[in-house]
Amino acid sequence: MNQTAVIGAGVMGETLLSGLVRAGRRVDTLLVGEKRPERAAELEERYGVSVVDNVEAATKADTLALVVKPQDMADVLAEIAPALRAGQLVVSLAAGITTSFIESRVPEGVAVVRVMPNTPALVDEGMSAISAGTHCDDVHLTEAEALMASVGKVVRVPEKQQDAVTAISGSGPAYVFFMVESMIEAGVHLGLPRTTAHELVVQTLVGSAAMLKETGEHPTVLREQVTSPAGTTAAALRELEVHKVRAAFLAALEAARDRSVALGSS
């Protein structure tokens, strides 16, 4: 019976754990690595899983999901490496950490998959991109896909694209929230009550996202359907172009990509 361990019981770690439980994983096949007694007790009561220390999790599990901060990855690997063995699968959810970084710190033959998730996983609408390491085969990738599919959609990408993925979907929710925040503030400036502006903007976002997903139309087509000649939308879009919003997005995503590269190299 395949045992899966989640090491790192923060927000994303618990999100993955709860997604696996909702997806039908038996709790007796799930382990959680957590050192804090009060947090361990909370997770055991909430999900009925076994909470152990990281070394025990690494010893017992066939698949380990490392849901830790990039700056903590080296210490966690140093702790669990003596307990790892060839044939195990390590799935890393740490931004910027390469498969080669992990492979150089674990025994030969341990399969490594790199994942870039995002926070909509909290509502089972996550977007995860996965990449295979040196010793990873299709069986390992399929298992990693199954893990992340419990909290949203999954795509496979070459690892060289992971920094771009981080910039687009990993950090992407923050850009959307920033836009929503800005539109709500604009609504208040234009005289709407804040609660009304909030409801208008959020539902407009939800509806627009649904149109993109369900129609399959290119966003340019959908934008043009809203934009009447010399109308209100055209006037607004002209201002966005004057203020170089497209260029700002490109610069912002390049900065996020570069930061992901820096995290990996450090």
Side-chain angles (χ1 to χ4, degrees), residues 56-77:
E56 185 176 350
T59 301
K60 292 182 175 180
D62 302 290
T63 300
L64 289 91
L66 304 185
V67 197
V68 300
K69 296 176 182 178
Q71 58 267 33
D72 295 335
M73 181 62 80
D75 290 340
V76 171
L77 291 173

Side-chain angles (χ1 to χ4, degrees), residues 124-242:
D124 292 343
E125 291 290 351
M127 183 70 252
S128 299
I130 66 173
S131 302
T134 305
H135 306 291
C136 185
D137 58 24
D138 194 66
V139 173
H140 297 126
L141 276 174
T142 299
E143 173 60 19
E145 280 180 327
L147 283 177
M148 301 315 301
S150 68
V151 290
K153 294 189 68 174
V154 187
V155 295
R156 297 184 185 187
V157 300
E159 187 168 10
K160 65 182 180 181
Q161 295 178 0
Q162 279 284 10
D163 294 312
V165 168
T166 300
I168 298 294
S169 60
S171 299
Y175 317 147
V176 175
F177 299 145
F178 183 85
M179 180 188 71
V180 168
E181 180 185 8
S182 300
M183 290 176 67
I184 291 171
E185 290 301 323
V188 173
H189 177 75
L190 294 173
L192 293 171
R194 185 171 295 276
T195 53
T196 302
H198 184 278
E199 185 174 6
L200 289 170
V201 174
V202 171
Q203 183 55 37
T204 298
L205 174 69
V206 170
S208 301
M211 286 182 70
L212 280 166
K213 186 174 183 179
E214 294 176 16
T215 67
E217 292 280 9
H218 193 281
T220 300
V221 173
L222 295 177
R223 176 178 58 78
E224 289 176 346
Q225 289 175 358
V226 186
T227 310
S228 302
T232 58
T233 307
L237 292 173
R238 179 181 179 277
E239 288 299 316
L240 293 177
E241 294 290 4
V242 166

Side-chain angles (χ1 to χ4, degrees), residues 104-119:
S104 68
R105 290 164 172 79
V106 299
E108 182 73 17
V110 172
V112 178
V113 173
R114 176 179 174 181
V115 179
M116 186 65 244
N118 66 8
T119 56

Side-chain angles (χ1 to χ4, degrees), residues 10-95:
V11 173
M12 186 58 75
E14 184 176 357
T15 295
L16 180 58
L17 174 64
S18 63
L20 290 169
V21 172
R22 289 194 305 276
R25 292 284 183 110
R26 288 171 43 179
V27 294
D28 60 352
T29 68
L30 297 172
L31 299 169
V32 178
E34 175 56 55
K35 295 179 179 179
R36 296 168 295 169
E38 67 283 358
R39 180 62 168 157
E42 180 184 358
L43 293 170
E44 286 179 339
E45 180 178 356
R46 185 173 298 165
Y47 301 104
V49 296
S50 296
V51 181
V52 297
D53 62 46
N54 290 348
V55 174
E56 185 176 350
T59 301
K60 292 182 175 180
D62 302 290
T63 300
L64 289 91
L66 304 185
V67 197
V68 300
K69 296 176 182 178
Q71 58 267 33
D72 295 335
M73 181 62 80
D75 290 340
V76 171
L77 291 173
E79 179 186 10
I80 67 174
L84 297 176
R85 60 194 180 276
Q88 281 178 301
L89 170 61
V90 171
V91 180
S92 167
L93 280 70

